[in-house]
Amino acid sequence: MLKVVHIIEALGGGVYTYFNDLSAYFGEDEIKNCIDTTIIYSGNRKEIDRDKIKSDFSSNINLLEINMLRNFSPLKDLKSVIQLTKALKKINPDVIHLHSSKAGVLGRIAYFFLFKKKKLYYSPHGYSFLRTDISKPIRKIYWLIEKITQALFGGVTIACGDTEFEIAKKIGNSKLVRNGVDIRSIRQNFVENKNDKLTVGILGRITYQKNPILFNEIALNFPDFNFVWIGDGELNSLLTAPNIKITGWFFDRKHILKELNNLDVYLQTSLWEGLPIAVLEAMVLEKPVIATNVIGNKDIVIHNETGFLFDEISELEPYFQILSKSENRNLFAKKAFERCSELFDKNKNFEELIYIYKS
């Protein structure tokens, strides 16, 4: 039996959905009989509910919590490496798959201290050096860390999107396995909706990355539309436009998908992305997507076919005019669903992952 260990520090947002789907897929009896899966995670992020992880994730996979911090902390990071090394020695996996930047560094160091050759993979889920909430010198340091850890410890990067793959190839040995979603499960929540006003929304935490300032400005520019932010977050005070509704968090996933289904248009205002799961979920529910023209978004949205990409607010008026008509929305919506089914089906993409693990 093949033993696979996944290590993740940033178990929140779209990454949480990714791992929930991963646990369900690798927890199926047919897969479980040939691949033993362990997920090592950290419960430090504010949005993480430890009890929810245990109830949401498949009981057929192994869960192990180890303390890891997002920010650099020499002493605590050393403790994390020691704990990871002990856990990996005990499990003795054939494959180690690291997810996101912090686990990518800590996991590689722990792998080195095993002094045994294993198959080592790393998925950035959005490189940290692409963040725009940090200075250029810090971004340069993050890039150097990625380059140096790849050079020192090796392994293969598995990119979650096409542009991330192009970047990864410049750093080292890389493969592409796109993020995917559980299309069958999401489609069970699809119902044709009829809103009195065009309803435009986003799903996620209200954080700097998701750019609530831009979302608010768009709402102010289009006062005749309703805007919905599905979720909540520390920057919710920035959403001041009178036509914006903040739903708050729902712990029932079906309730989240119901709110998502109630939208007419999905608006992704993020400053950077890996490959956003929420956009994929919206496309499965046949929502045309208007998104900022950044890495991740532009790997999903085909401009003028499944939605629109934009750089400036001034570009949006004709796009909203087109999508205000239901017959136009339906054309974009069908194309969005077709594209998601073709490229972003989690079952197909996890099959690719298994092939890589076994090859």
Side-chain angles (χ1 to χ4, degrees):
M1 180 180 287
L2 193 71
K3 284 187 177 182
V4 179
V5 171
H6 297 269
I7 302 177
I8 174 68
E9 176 272 321
L11 191 60
V15 176
Y16 186 93
T17 303
Y18 174 88
F19 270 91
N20 194 4
D21 288 342
L22 183 145
S23 84
Y25 182 86
F26 284 89
E28 290 177 4
D29 290 337
E30 185 181 349
I31 307 295
K32 167 72 176 170
N33 289 336
C34 58
I35 298 177
D36 183 66
T37 300
T38 300
I39 297 174
I40 298 177
Y41 67 97
S42 174
N44 272 325
R45 298 281 182 120
K46 285 187 291 185
E47 64 268 32
I48 293 173
D49 183 335
R50 289 178 170 90
D51 294 331
K52 195 169 188 297
I53 292 169
K54 289 166 186 172
S55 62
D56 282 356
F57 285 23
S58 170
S59 59
N60 275 345
I61 60 127
N62 311 302
L63 287 172
L64 177 61
E65 184 177 347
I66 286 180
N67 190 46
M68 290 178 271
L69 295 181
R70 179 182 186 179
N71 297 321
F72 177 65
S73 172
L75 184 58
K76 290 181 179 178
D77 288 346
L78 177 61
K79 288 180 179 178
S80 299
V81 168
I82 292 169
Q83 284 184 290
L84 284 171
T85 306
K86 286 180 180 178
L88 291 172
K89 283 182 177 178
K90 185 177 180 180
I91 298 166
N92 191 26
D94 305 292
V95 175
I96 300 170
H97 192 161
L98 313 171
H99 298 263
S100 296
S101 298
K102 190 59 179 284
V105 174
L106 298 180
R108 279 174 169 137
I109 297 170
Y111 162 78
F112 172 78
F113 285 116
L114 291 180
F115 303 115
K116 286 184 179 180
K117 192 166 177 61
K118 310 283 183 182
K119 289 183 179 179
L120 182 67
Y121 300 102
Y122 165 55
S123 293
H125 297 284
Y127 280 110
S128 55
F129 57 76
L130 298 174
R131 289 167 53 185
T132 57
D133 61 336
I134 52 178
S135 65
K136 284 185 178 179
I138 296 296
R139 291 204 294 270
K140 181 66 174 176
I141 290 169
Y142 283 168
W143 184 87
L144 284 170
I145 289 170
E146 293 281 1
K147 186 74 175 175
I148 290 167
T149 51
Q150 176 76 26
L152 285 177
F153 304 110
V156 178
T157 298
I158 299 179
C160 68
D162 294 76
T163 308
E164 185 171 276
F165 180 45
E166 293 305 313
I167 296 169
K169 285 191 289 188
K170 295 174 184 176
I171 295 174
N173 190 6
S174 308
K175 295 181 183 294
L176 171 65
V177 178
R178 297 179 182 92
N179 278 353
V181 290
D182 189 341
I183 291 174
R184 185 184 60 81
S185 173
I186 297 168
R187 285 296 290 182
Q188 292 174 357
N189 300 273
F190 173 70
V191 179
E192 288 191 17
N193 59 308
K194 294 181 180 179
N195 294 311
D196 294 332
K197 289 185 177 182
L198 189 77
T199 303
V200 181
I202 186 174
L203 165 62
R205 281 183 63 218
I206 307 174
T207 61
Y208 180 87
Q209 180 197 357
K210 300 300 180 187
N211 204 352
I213 292 175
L214 177 60
F215 189 89
N216 192 71
E217 196 174 343
I218 293 170
L220 290 171
N221 273 265
F222 296 92
D224 294 334
F225 301 156
N226 287 331
F227 287 79
V228 180
W229 195 300
I230 305 168
D232 209 339
E234 57 268 29
L235 297 183
N236 57 14
S237 61
L238 298 176
L239 298 173
T240 58
N243 54 335
I244 293 178
K245 172 190 171 186
I246 302 171
T247 67
W249 286 118
F250 302 108
F251 293 106
D252 182 356
R253 178 162 167 74
K254 286 187 177 179
H255 203 152
I256 295 171
L257 292 172
K258 182 182 177 182
E259 289 287 337
L260 191 58
N261 187 77
N262 287 339
L263 304 177
D264 296 309
V265 177
Y266 191 87
L267 175 63
Q268 184 79 354
T269 51
S270 45
L271 293 164
W272 73 89
E273 288 288 352
L275 196 86
I277 297 291
V279 174
L280 299 179
E281 292 173 328
M283 290 168 69
V284 174
L285 293 172
E286 297 189 19
K287 308 303 168 191
V289 178
I290 296 178
T292 45
N293 188 21
V294 299
I295 293 170
N297 292 347
K298 65 183 181 181
D299 296 319
I300 300 175
V301 179
I302 299 179
H303 185 72
N304 206 26
E305 185 173 319
T306 66
F308 299 98
L309 296 166
F310 73 99
D311 295 293
E312 303 291 339
I313 287 184
S314 58
E315 303 167 38
L316 291 178
E317 189 165 348
Y319 303 156
F320 276 125
Q321 280 183 352
I322 291 168
L323 295 178
S324 292
K325 297 178 180 178
S326 60
E327 60 269 28
N328 292 338
R329 284 202 307 277
N330 289 338
L331 290 173
F332 279 84
K334 298 299 181 188
K335 290 284 187 182
F337 176 58
E338 287 170 12
R339 177 165 171 78
C340 206
S341 299
E342 181 184 354
L343 292 181
F344 305 108
D345 181 337
K346 62 113 177 171
N347 290 330
K348 295 177 186 175
N349 297 2
F350 285 147
E351 283 174 14
E352 289 180 35
L353 210 54
I354 291 174
Y355 177 78
I356 290 171
Y357 292 160
K358 290 184 173 180
S359 63

